[in-house]
Amino acid sequence: MEKQRVLSARGLIKQFQMGEVNVKALDGVDFDIYEGEFIVILGPSGSGKSTLLNMIGGMDSLDGGTLYFKEKPVHTLDKAGMAQYRRDVVGFVFQFYNLIPSLNAFENVALAAQISKRGLDVAETLQRVGLSERMDHFPSQLSGGQQQRVAMARAIAKNPDILLCDEPTGALDSESSDSVMQLLKNINQTYGKTVIVITHDREIAQIADRVFHINDGRLTHIEPSS
């Protein structure tokens, strides 16, 4: 059975004004991403990968081009429509966790699950990421790797179609990094979620289904992981 196309982009453009200079952070980006794929967007600092993730996640507006989610136009959504898209379609995992320090692990995840129309069971989700015995711990009582697992559980608990990960191992040591990436792959396979990870780490690209290489705001080439 042919997989459904989840995201389709044509000619994406995003510009920023820096003094008198107009910088194209995205300069005509085209791609298709399919249901259940694990995509890594690989590029150096300043290549446009974070801007591209923000476009996909509805966190910033386009200056040109089209973006479709399951054949529905994202680029034409108004403010309310974009907020609904972010709430229902995408889950975010950030480099620095962004957990609420006054809430324990269970409460941080529950907060996300409650805003979704199809939220998952919080305790079960935390168990899936290996934190069943840390549910009542606050972020300050958890290691960096454990905090990132809470952040991943928070994103999963929304039950989104797409999981977007912005340098999810950037603040972790190598052992925690390997553990988190393996967990992301397990989430991708267990839940069937489309996962998109941006990184400058070529080793992470090895677990991807496809690797999007980006530089100077352009996708230079797309390839299967070796």
Side-chain angles (χ1 to χ4, degrees), residues 65-203:
T66 61
L67 177 64
Y68 287 85
F69 165 70
K70 294 184 178 180
E71 314 306 328
K72 298 176 183 177
V74 176
H75 56 280
T76 61
L77 292 175
D78 59 16
K79 188 175 181 180
M82 195 64 81
Q84 183 177 356
Y85 171 79
R86 289 193 300 268
R87 183 191 69 197
D88 297 337
V89 174
V90 294
F92 295 94
V93 178
F94 301 101
Q95 179 176 349
F96 295 109
Y97 326 133
N98 291 347
L99 301 177
I100 300 174
S102 60
L103 300 181
N104 62 30
F106 185 94
E107 292 164 341
N108 265 282
V109 176
L111 199 62
Q114 289 167 2
I115 67 171
S116 175
K117 294 179 180 178
R118 50 182 184 173
L120 301 177
D121 181 85
V122 175
E124 182 180 334
T125 305
L126 281 164
Q127 183 179 17
R128 289 270 188 181
V129 300
L131 291 176
S132 56
E133 297 180 359
R134 297 286 188 272
M135 293 186 193
D136 60 348
H137 285 54
F138 292 90
S140 62
Q141 298 172 307
L142 300 170
S143 68
Q146 288 171 336
Q147 289 185 65
Q148 190 60 295
R149 285 171 177 261
V150 175
M152 291 164 66
R154 178 182 58 189
I156 299 163
K158 289 174 58 182
N159 199 15
D161 294 273
I162 304 166
L163 195 60
L164 302 178
C165 307
D166 186 355
E167 299 277 8
T169 63
L172 302 176
D173 58 43
S174 59
E175 184 177 351
S176 297
S177 174
D178 291 343
S179 175
V180 163
M181 290 311 303
Q182 189 56 56
L183 178 58
L184 268 178
K185 188 65 176 179
N186 289 342
I187 288 167
N188 164 248
Q189 294 172 339
T190 301
Y191 290 93
K193 301 296 182 186
T194 302
V195 177
I196 303 173
V197 178
I198 64 168
T199 184
H200 62 273
D201 187 343
R202 292 184 178 275
E203 289 190 14

Side-chain angles (χ1 to χ4, degrees), residues 16-53:
F16 296 102
Q17 196 71 30
M18 300 182 67
E20 296 182 356
V21 179
N22 191 296
V23 177
K24 278 190 175 181
L26 295 180
D27 188 11
V29 172
D30 301 336
F31 62 81
D32 292 304
I33 294 175
Y34 296 88
E35 185 177 30
E37 276 197 297
F38 194 112
I39 300 292
V40 165
I41 301 174
L42 185 66
S45 178
S47 61
K49 60 184 185 295
S50 291
T51 302
L52 179 55
L53 200 76

